[in-house]
């Protein structure tokens, strides 16, 4: 019951925050944190995820912390999007980046069950920024409870 009340409070605050934002602002930030616990006589499940999108004039960022059981799906999706040949692997970290003349256009870092994406909108073409926004939406779906079914 406590969990249900917490979820409802977060949803209400989220709705109020979204409706209070003005269309003239150039900076937007979206944050979702979900924690669900289900107790039954036969099985116990829990789910948690933190999802943050920061979209400013200069940068677009996505930060996600998700269930460890989703790591292989997230990694597979990132490999599909950015390619295995461009992937740098160091221990438990998977890394993709693109630079032009020592200026970083984007960086994608998957370490365990944490993902960070950053794209410099001043350097990246609009088409690439739109692609990263779509990737963010897909990752939100992949790391959601419904996407994990």
């Amino acid at each position: 019951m406590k969990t249900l009340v917490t979820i409802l409070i977060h949803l209400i605050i989220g709705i109020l925050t979204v409706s209070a934002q003005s269309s003239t602002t150039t900076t937007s930030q979206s944050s979702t944190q979900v924690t669900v616990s289900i107790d039954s006589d036969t099985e116990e499940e829990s789910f948690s995820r933190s999802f943050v999108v920061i979209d400013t004039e200069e940068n677009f960022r996505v930060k996600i912390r998700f269930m460890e059981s989703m790591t292989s799906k997230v990694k597979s999706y990132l490999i599909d999007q950015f390619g295995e040949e461009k992937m740098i692997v160091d221990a438990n970290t998977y890394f993709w980046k693109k630079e032009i003349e020592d200026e970083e256009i984007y960086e994608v870092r998957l370490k365990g069950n944490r993902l960070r994406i950053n794209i410099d909108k001043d350097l990246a073409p609009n088409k690439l920024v739109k692609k990263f926004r779509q990737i963010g939406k897909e990752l939100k779906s992949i790391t959601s409870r419904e996407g994990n079914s």
Side-chain angles (χ1 to χ4, degrees), residues 52 54 60-66 74 78 94-96 106-111 113-119 132 139:
V52 178
I54 302 168
F60 177 75
R61 293 183 179 144
V62 178
K63 297 177 184 180
I64 311 172
R65 187 181 65 218
F66 49 88
V74 171
L78 293 172
Y94 300 88
F95 186 71
W96 294 264
Y106 70 78
E107 173 182 301
V108 178
R109 182 181 305 267
L110 175 64
K111 184 174 184 178
N113 65 334
R114 294 175 187 253
L115 175 65
R116 295 188 184 271
I117 298 174
N118 184 38
I119 182 167
F132 271 78
L139 287 166

Side-chain angles (χ1 to χ4, degrees), residues 23 32 35 45-46 49 74-75 78 97-99 103 106 110 117 119-120 124 132 135-137:
S23 62
T32 305
T35 303
E45 293 183 23
S46 66
R49 173 187 70 176
V74 171
K75 182 176 123 184
L78 293 172
K97 71 177 180 176
K98 184 171 184 176
E99 295 179 333
E103 295 282 337
Y106 70 78
L110 175 64
I117 298 174
I119 182 167
D120 187 329
F132 271 78
I135 288 171
K137 289 177 185 177

Side-chain angles (χ1 to χ4, degrees), residues 17-30:
T17 303
V18 169
S19 64
Q21 289 182 350
S22 170
S23 62
T24 59
T25 56
T26 56
T27 302
S28 66
Q29 184 171 349
S30 170

Side-chain angles (χ1 to χ4, degrees), residues 8-65:
L8 289 174
I9 289 171
H10 284 287
L11 285 173
I12 291 170
I13 291 171
I15 290 170
L16 292 174
T17 303
V18 169
S19 64
Q21 289 182 350
S22 170
S23 62
T24 59
T25 56
T26 56
T27 302
S28 66
Q29 184 171 349
S30 170
S31 176
T32 305
Q33 186 165 357
V34 178
T35 303
V36 178
S37 296
I38 302 171
D39 295 326
S40 66
D41 295 336
T42 59
E43 128 181 10
E44 222 179 273
E45 293 183 23
S46 66
F47 175 79
S48 73
R49 173 187 70 176
S50 173
F51 187 93
V52 178
V53 173
I54 302 168
D55 194 359
T56 65
E57 286 184 24
E58 298 86 23
N59 293 299
F60 177 75
R61 293 183 179 144
V62 178
K63 297 177 184 180
I64 311 172
R65 187 181 65 218

